[in-house]
Amino acid sequence: MLVSLTVGKVDAGVTVLLTPDKRLIEFPSILLPPDIVSGSIVDINVARNKNSEAAAERSFRELQDQILSSFGSAEPLAPILRCRNATQTSVVLEWDPIQLATADLISLALYRNGQKAGNIPKPLSMHTTKISGLAVDTEYTFHLVLRTTAGTFASQRVTVRTHKMTDLSGITITTGILPAAVREALAAAVERIGAKIVDGVRIDTTHFVTTEGRGIQWEKANELNIPIVRPEWVEACERNGRILGVTKFYLDAVRVGPPFVEERPSTAAAASQASAPAQPPVPPQKNSPRQQEASQSNVPSQPASPEETRKKEEGGAGSPGSSDSEEEAEEHKVKEGGQDEQKVLADERDQKRLAVRPSPTVEEEEEQTEEKPVSDDEKGGKSPGDGSSFQDVAL
């Protein structure tokens, strides 16, 4: 087919061609003759190349078959989930290696009771996981969701029920360094309670039993935060018929000794007295003159009898000779003692003088009032109540 076109505008890359019906066609300048200018007329012969079309079709079909054989023959498989072990508060789940075929992995998530619990780290290399912090004797449902570039695939749902406190079948023990006799007794006790012993520390190991804190398995148990206990823990669980806490049975915990028997007070006192060395008797201390005087002053005085009181009243305040001698003795003691002793003796002397000269009683004061002489004014005048009659009183 031959077509005549008129050159309109010539640019370095594109030339504008005009058709007879005034349509514009942008044509590559490199395909036109080099000497054309605006207004030139060019003839273009257009024809269909069927041989080239057939070759391109064959090439495209071969490519499609190759893609289908490489990427369309297999597809990712849904993960197969199962329960590996269950205890009172934890569940260990495992699944087969993920089959992605030719697809790329996006994520692998774990769901618990229909809600996402989290993504599995390193899903291509990890095939187990442990879920802790569960409630005792409670039912849970788990399933996995695999997301790939080829689509999303979900596993079957697995229902697991945590154990009761009396169910010891979930205990999985890894042993460390143990004496031969202790190892045999431990194996028998584990078999009786329905637990199991595994070789090496694994993800489903619940307790590490040993008597010495060393070894490769002991280090691995420490890294995985697995409780490291003594063999007595298994024996205690068997005696009580239920799982017990491990706080008192840790390898580095203080061992509990035999029960303490309290002795009777009399026996304990007798034993302490017998074991204590005999102390020498304390010699009696002689009181100094000052201590004797202080003790005498602290002793309360006995009340005097009626005869002594009457003699004191008749004799007055006592003989002046005796009182002078006592005062001289006290003054002599004051001169010998210090200032503090002088004050004490002065107070004692004042107290003695007050005791020798008692204060007058009410009766004595009345008697003194009656013995007072009557003045002349009192003798001459008469009051209205002194024997005069009513008529003598001046109104």
Side-chain angles (χ1 to χ4, degrees):
M1 180 179 179
L2 183 62
V3 179
S4 297
L5 301 173
T6 302
V7 177
K9 182 181 179 181
V10 180
D11 287 334
V14 178
T15 300
V16 178
L17 302 178
L18 300 176
T19 62
D21 55 354
K22 308 303 180 183
R23 296 180 181 274
L24 298 179
I25 297 175
E26 291 182 351
F27 197 84
S29 299
I30 194 171
L31 298 179
L32 297 175
D35 57 347
I36 62 172
V37 294
S38 297
S40 301
I41 297 175
V42 294
D43 294 335
I44 298 175
N45 191 9
V46 179
R48 181 178 179 181
N49 192 344
K50 294 184 179 180
N51 295 331
S52 297
E53 288 182 1
E57 181 70 18
R58 287 193 303 269
S59 176
F60 179 75
R61 294 297 178 185
E62 290 175 0
L63 179 61
Q64 292 294 324
D65 294 339
Q66 184 181 358
I67 293 173
L68 180 61
S69 61
S70 299
F71 301 99
S73 59
E75 64 178 2
L77 300 178
I80 301 174
L81 182 66
R82 55 184 173 270
C83 177
R84 182 172 180 175
N85 187 31
T87 63
Q88 282 72 16
T89 58
S90 64
V91 172
V92 177
L93 301 174
E94 65 178 0
W95 55 90
D96 295 337
I98 297 174
Q99 301 295 331
L100 295 175
T102 57
D104 293 333
L105 175 66
I106 297 177
S107 67
L108 179 64
L110 176 67
Y111 284 75
R112 181 178 65 186
N113 295 337
Q115 296 182 353
K116 186 177 179 180
N119 290 329
I120 302 298
K122 301 178 181 179
L124 296 178
S125 59
M126 288 186 59
H127 306 139
T128 58
T129 185
K130 184 176 182 179
I131 302 97
S132 304
L134 304 179
V136 179
D137 193 19
T138 306
E139 190 174 275
Y140 295 91
T141 302
F142 300 94
H143 73 279
L144 292 172
V145 175
L146 175 64
R147 290 182 174 85
T148 67
T149 54
T152 301
F153 305 88
S155 69
Q156 82 283 7
R157 297 179 181 270
V158 176
T159 301
V160 183
R161 190 175 191 87
T162 54
H163 293 180
K164 298 180 180 179
M165 297 300 291
T166 55
D167 187 358
L168 305 179
S169 61
I171 298 175
T172 304
I173 295 174
T174 299
T175 57
I177 301 175
L178 293 172
V182 176
R183 187 179 296 274
E184 294 178 0
L186 177 65
V190 168
E191 184 178 358
R192 287 193 299 269
I193 65 177
K196 55 182 176 293
I197 297 178
V198 296
D199 296 332
V201 177
R202 308 185 313 190
I203 191 173
D204 59 338
T205 300
T206 58
H207 298 83
F208 186 82
V209 180
T210 184
T211 55
E212 298 182 17
R214 58 188 178 90
I216 298 176
Q217 298 297 330
W218 175 78
E219 293 178 357
K220 189 174 181 181
N222 269 329
E223 292 177 0
L224 297 177
N225 293 327
I226 296 175
I228 301 175
V229 296
R230 304 190 304 272
E232 291 85 345
W233 177 78
V234 180
E235 299 174 359
C237 291
E238 183 182 5
R239 287 195 303 269
N240 291 271
R242 63 194 302 272
I243 190 169
L244 299 178
V246 296
T247 305
K248 298 180 180 179
F249 300 93
Y250 279 133
L251 184 62
D252 54 353
V254 179
R255 293 179 178 268
V256 181
F260 175 73
V261 180
E262 186 178 0
E263 297 181 355
R264 295 182 179 179
S266 60
T267 309
S272 62
Q273 291 178 1
S275 61
Q279 298 180 357
V282 180
Q285 297 180 358
K286 295 182 179 180
N287 296 332
S288 60
R290 299 178 183 176
Q291 294 177 351
Q292 291 179 0
E293 293 177 1
S295 61
Q296 290 178 2
S297 62
N298 294 332
V299 175
S301 59
Q302 297 180 356
S305 60
E307 296 179 357
E308 294 177 355
T309 303
R310 181 174 54 78
K311 290 180 179 180
K312 286 182 180 181
E313 292 178 354
E314 293 176 357
S319 60
S322 61
S323 61
D324 294 340
S325 61
E326 289 179 359
E327 292 178 359
E328 290 176 359
E330 290 177 359
E331 290 177 359
H332 180 70
K333 291 180 181 180
V334 169
K335 292 179 181 180
E336 292 179 356
Q339 296 180 357
D340 297 338
E341 189 176 352
Q342 291 177 4
K343 293 181 180 180
V344 174
L345 294 176
D347 295 339
E348 292 179 357
R349 185 173 63 252
D350 294 339
Q351 292 178 0
K352 286 183 179 181
R353 289 178 178 176
L354 292 174
V356 173
R357 300 175 181 177
S359 58
T361 60
V362 178
E363 296 176 354
E364 293 177 352
E365 291 179 355
E366 293 179 354
E367 292 177 357
Q368 292 177 2
T369 304
E370 292 177 357
E371 292 176 358
K372 284 183 180 181
V374 181
S375 61
D376 297 336
D377 298 335
E378 292 177 352
K379 289 180 179 180
K382 293 182 179 180
S383 61
D386 296 337
S388 302
S389 61
F390 180 75
Q391 288 80 9
D392 295 339
V393 178
L395 296 176

